[in-house]
Amino acid sequence: MFNLKSLQRNKTVKYGVPMLLLVVGGSFGLREFTQIRYDAQKIRRKLDPSLEAKVNVQRQSTVLQEEYEKMKELNLEEWKNIRGPRPWEDSREYQEQQRTRQDRED
């Protein structure tokens, strides 16, 4: 009985042990919760097998030399820079303006 009362009065037992349990237990708890998060992200990232096969084929077939050949064939002399709509502008209205300008120029 004497030992129990002396332990209850001891500041290390009263404050230190619960704090240590909170820190160590919190570490393990956070590890479990973050693992759930990463597992959920992996599930969301999984693609349909047929779509994944198409994506992989496209990645493998693209070669730098082929892209260079495509760029050589482009006519860059007639290229025109067209400004996109601002966030406060109506995009449909702006697209119509661009189309009418382009029709007048042609």
Side-chain angles (χ1 to χ4, degrees):
M1 194 67 146
F2 176 72
N3 289 336
L4 185 61
K5 285 188 179 187
S6 66
L7 285 177
Q8 287 177 345
R9 288 187 207 142
N10 189 348
K11 287 186 179 183
T12 303
V13 174
K14 192 173 183 180
Y15 299 111
V17 172
M19 183 64 169
L20 187 63
L21 288 173
L22 181 69
V23 170
V24 173
S27 172
F28 286 108
L30 282 175
R31 184 185 62 176
E32 293 300 319
F33 283 118
T34 54
Q35 187 63 41
I36 291 170
R37 175 182 167 200
Y38 291 126
D39 290 343
Q41 286 179 354
K42 283 181 185 178
I43 291 171
R44 280 191 213 141
R45 286 187 190 157
K46 278 197 172 179
L47 295 175
D48 183 39
S50 61
L51 180 61
E52 190 172 2
K54 288 180 184 178
V55 169
N56 288 338
V57 168
Q58 288 176 353
R59 286 183 185 165
Q60 292 171 358
S61 66
T62 304
V63 179
L64 186 59
Q65 188 65 26
E66 291 174 5
E67 291 298 319
Y68 176 70
E69 295 299 325
K70 288 179 190 176
M71 292 299 291
K72 278 181 22 180
E73 294 173 4
L74 293 175
N75 184 5
L76 297 177
E77 297 300 322
E78 296 177 12
W79 179 76
K80 182 179 177 185
N81 189 15
I82 299 175
R83 177 179 74 81
R86 302 292 191 254
W88 58 86
E89 295 176 339
D90 183 24
S91 64
R92 290 183 180 156
E93 180 182 317
Y94 186 76
Q95 289 172 359
E96 288 299 321
Q97 288 176 357
Q98 291 296 325
R99 288 186 186 124
T100 56
R101 284 184 192 166
Q102 191 175 18
D103 291 340
R104 281 188 252 143
E105 291 176 1
D106 291 340

